[in-house]
């Protein structure tokens, strides 16, 4: 079988047993042992699809019950495969699919306003109770910041907000724009802890409704406003600070210039922006078929080589950059374990197929950050070279000050 030929060339380290649609067993790699991953493929069609288009078909077949794990699970199988591939490895016999992905990448990343709204709603307008099952109590749906290995998810997400606030060098009374405000947690933190006014924008009706309710319940509606609007529709307004966390992945390479020129136009002369985004270390690529089809249509993880040249053309200064390497892997691990523990509740909201889809998404994402070259970058931007202090000491001092000023976390009920 073709799938057997793929695994014969691929699996050198570790141990994989494959049961094909006829019930025949084949073993690949090292001798079978307690760490062996055993999979069963239930149809000849599934075998061919996995062999020819694994980036789509592995997750799809698992969703549909055509790929069954007899020993080990999704995470174990994907870890085994990725460790054999290496950071820049290519799956055997998939050259045609890789060529097609490269040819179509700009089309997949084309994200005009109508498509952007539809793509965001596909993921973020799911039943809000789903996100309550695995996110922290503040519903932060982006990479957390883990100062120590034993930091909890709640602590790490608070540390992330503090880390970002420190880099913004905020002063009371400043006007802040958050592009892609999620469920409002960062905007509320900045207003409550730093004394600033915040406008948060989103294309998700579910996020907008909850964020607005949280602002009202915490008595911050006079300083925090949430709007459903595309960032390209913010013309004519000015902000002292702009922050964007986990939204840039939805912009699309053809729109990078408009995005950074928009930031430049929206900032005051002494303005500062911070963009927090997933990045890829291996250079420009394409979004895997499963993620593009089922999870984040229109989404793309950029390489810095695609981002920095556009920033240079937008006449913004790159005043600071930080690479967060394994922080998202740890974040996703927390999310995955929490989701698995709440499987029955997720199944009650949707169904078993949805749960398998979501498990595959979380597992594949964690492995991509842990073993396959993905990371998070935070790039700080300014319109003037002299706007910010010339050493990073102010960031450290600000984080210490924020710890002292943070109020007890009072999160609105989200269930």
């Amino acid at each position: 079988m073709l799938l057997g030929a793929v695994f014969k060339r691929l699996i050198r380290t570790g141990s994989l047993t494959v049961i094909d649609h006829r019930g025949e067993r084949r073993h690949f790699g090292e001798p079978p042992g307690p760490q062996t991953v055993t999979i069963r493929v239930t149809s000849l069609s599934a075998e061919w699809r996995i062999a020819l288009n694994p980036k789509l078909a592995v997750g799809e077949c698992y969703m549909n019950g055509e790929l069954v794990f007899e020993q080990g699970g999704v995470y174990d199988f994907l870890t085994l495969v990725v460790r054999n591939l290496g950071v820049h490895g290519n799956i055997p016999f998939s050259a045609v699919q890789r060529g097609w992905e490269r040819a179509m990448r700009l089309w997949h990343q084309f994200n005009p306003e109508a498509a952007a709204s539809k793509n965001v709603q596909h993921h973020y307008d799911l039943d809000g109770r789903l996100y309550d099952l695995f996110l922290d109590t503040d519903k932060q749906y982006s990479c957390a910041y883990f100062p120590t290995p034993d930091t909890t998810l709640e602590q790490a997400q608070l540390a992330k907000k503090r880390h970002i606030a420190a880099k913004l060098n905020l002063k009371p009374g400043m006007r802040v724009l958050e592009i892609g405000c999620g469920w409002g947690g960062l905007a509320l933190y900045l207003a409550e802890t730093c004394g600033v006014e915040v406008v948060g924008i989103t294309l998700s009706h579910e996020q907008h409704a909850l964020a607005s309710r949280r602002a009202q319940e915490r008595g911050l509606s006079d300083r925090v406003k949430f709007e459903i609007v595309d960032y390209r529709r913010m013309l004519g307004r000015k902000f002292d600070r702009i922050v964007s966390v986990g939204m840039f992945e939805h912009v699309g390479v053809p729109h990078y210039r408009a995005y950074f020129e928009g930031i430049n136009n929206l900032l005051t002369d002494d303005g500062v922006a911070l963009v927090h985004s997933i990045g890829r270390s291996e250079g420009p690529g394409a979004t895997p078929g499963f993620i593009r089809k089922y999870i984040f249509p229109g989404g793309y993880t950029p390489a810095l080589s695609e981002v920095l040249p556009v920033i240079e053309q937008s006449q913004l200064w790159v005043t600071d950059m930080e690479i967060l390497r394994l922080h998202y892997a740890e974040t996703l691990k927390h999310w995955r374990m929490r989701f698995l523990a709440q499987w029955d509740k997720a199944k009650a909201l949707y169904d078993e197929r949805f749960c398998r889809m979501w498990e595959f998404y979380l597992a594949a994402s964690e492995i991509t950050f842990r073993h396959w070259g993905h990371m998070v970058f935070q790039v700080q931007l300014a319109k003037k070279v002299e706007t910010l202090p010339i050493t990073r000491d102010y960031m450290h001092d600000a984080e210490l000050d924020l710890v002292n000023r943070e109020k007890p976390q009072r999160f609105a009920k989200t269930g």
Side-chain angles (χ1 to χ4, degrees):
M1 61 176 176
L2 180 60
L3 185 58
V6 171
F7 286 131
K8 184 176 180 180
R9 291 183 57 179
L10 174 62
I11 305 298
R12 304 293 181 183
T13 301
S15 179
L16 174 67
T17 296
V18 179
I19 306 171
D20 69 15
H21 70 284
R22 296 182 299 267
E24 296 180 2
R25 288 176 175 261
R26 294 188 63 183
H27 187 76
F28 305 94
E30 298 168 354
Q35 300 302 315
T36 300
V37 175
T38 301
I39 65 173
R40 177 164 52 88
V41 186
T42 63
S43 69
L44 180 61
S45 170
E47 292 175 11
W48 277 89
R49 297 197 322 268
I50 291 172
L52 294 175
N53 190 5
K55 291 184 179 179
L56 172 62
V58 171
E60 206 165 53
C61 289
Y62 177 61
M63 283 171 56
N64 296 331
E66 297 172 283
L67 174 62
V68 180
F69 292 93
E70 303 281 352
Q71 186 176 356
V74 171
Y75 185 84
D76 305 302
F77 173 70
L78 294 177
T79 299
L80 174 64
V81 170
V82 168
R83 283 178 173 169
N84 277 274
L85 284 170
V87 174
H88 306 299
N90 290 317
I91 299 169
F93 308 114
S94 62
V96 173
Q97 183 63 33
R98 292 196 303 274
W100 175 252
E101 288 179 346
R102 285 194 295 269
M104 294 296 292
R105 61 187 296 271
L106 290 181
W107 172 250
H108 290 150
Q109 295 161 18
F110 183 59
N111 220 4
E113 290 184 38
S117 179
K118 181 180 178 181
N119 290 338
V120 166
Q121 290 166 18
H122 172 90
H123 190 89
Y124 297 100
D125 279 355
L126 294 171
D127 191 314
R129 291 173 294 178
L130 170 70
Y131 295 100
D132 294 334
L133 298 180
F134 66 94
L135 298 182
D136 67 300
T137 50
D138 195 35
K139 295 190 82 164
Q140 290 292 307
Y141 196 25
S142 59
C143 177
Y145 187 76
F146 291 84
T148 62
D150 60 347
T151 300
T152 67
L153 180 61
E154 270 70 21
Q155 291 169 337
Q157 290 292 11
L158 177 59
K160 183 266 299 291
K161 290 179 286 187
R162 186 187 308 133
H163 198 61
I164 288 170
K167 290 185 177 185
L168 288 170
N169 197 31
L170 296 165
K171 302 293 186 293
M174 282 185 168
R175 283 178 48 79
V176 179
L177 170 66
E178 185 182 6
I179 303 176
C181 62
W183 290 278
L186 178 61
L188 297 174
Y189 174 86
L190 296 179
E192 196 167 55
T193 308
C194 306
V196 297
E197 298 179 7
V198 187
V199 174
I201 62 174
T202 179
L203 296 177
S204 165
H205 294 273
E206 290 287 334
Q207 289 184 335
H208 174 264
L210 178 57
S212 299
R213 188 172 79 238
R214 294 176 71 189
Q216 184 176 17
E217 290 174 349
R218 289 166 66 168
L220 292 171
S221 295
D222 59 329
R223 288 191 284 139
V224 183
K225 307 291 184 184
F226 296 105
E227 302 176 17
I228 300 177
V229 61
D230 191 282
Y231 68 93
R232 288 164 284 204
R233 294 288 179 179
M234 297 293 289
L235 299 175
R237 301 168 74 170
K238 289 292 183 181
F239 298 89
D240 303 294
R241 298 292 187 264
I242 297 176
V243 60
S244 181
V245 180
M247 178 271 176
F248 187 68
E249 301 90 324
H250 302 282
V251 171
V253 175
H255 308 280
Y256 285 178
R257 183 169 182 175
Y259 177 84
F260 286 110
E261 287 181 351
I263 287 178
N264 192 5
N265 292 331
L266 289 166
L267 282 175
T268 60
D269 288 343
D270 290 321
V272 175
L274 185 80
V275 176
H276 167 122
S277 171
I278 297 171
R280 62 176 71 229
S281 65
E282 71 274 20
T287 303
F290 179 84
I291 298 296
R292 185 177 66 247
K293 182 176 180 179
Y294 292 102
I295 307 299
F296 292 116
Y300 172 66
T301 298
L304 285 172
S305 59
E306 298 173 287
V307 177
L308 292 177
V310 185
I311 295 176
E312 292 170 356
Q313 295 167 14
S314 70
Q315 300 181 336
L316 289 167
W317 277 87
V318 176
T319 46
D320 189 83
M321 180 174 289
E322 182 177 9
I323 305 299
L324 305 179
R325 288 165 290 124
L326 291 171
H327 292 268
Y328 217 159
E330 291 302 309
T331 305
L332 285 155
K333 179 181 178 181
H334 279 275
W335 291 348
R336 180 171 60 87
M337 299 307 294
R338 288 182 176 206
F339 180 80
L340 291 176
Q342 301 285 349
W343 186 281
D344 289 342
K345 292 181 180 179
K347 182 179 176 181
L349 291 175
Y350 289 97
D351 56 25
E352 189 79 20
R353 183 176 183 270
F354 180 92
C355 290
R356 288 195 293 264
M357 177 186 75
W358 211 259
E359 179 195 4
F360 188 86
Y361 148 57
L362 293 174
S365 298
E366 179 185 342
I367 287 165
T368 300
F369 283 92
R370 199 173 295 282
H371 301 294
W372 222 354
H374 274 33
M375 45 72 178
V376 168
F377 63 83
Q378 291 183 345
V379 56
Q380 184 194 62
L381 307 167
K383 296 182 74 168
K384 291 182 179 179
V385 66
E386 69 272 15
T387 295
L388 292 159
I390 61 174
T391 71
R392 302 181 90 247
D393 295 352
Y394 73 94
M395 298 181 191
H396 176 70
D397 293 342
E399 288 203 46
L400 293 177
D401 183 52
L402 287 166
V403 171
N404 294 326
R405 292 191 315 193
E406 283 167 2
K407 297 181 180 180
Q409 297 303 293
R410 297 180 287 107
F411 301 123
K413 292 182 179 180
T414 55

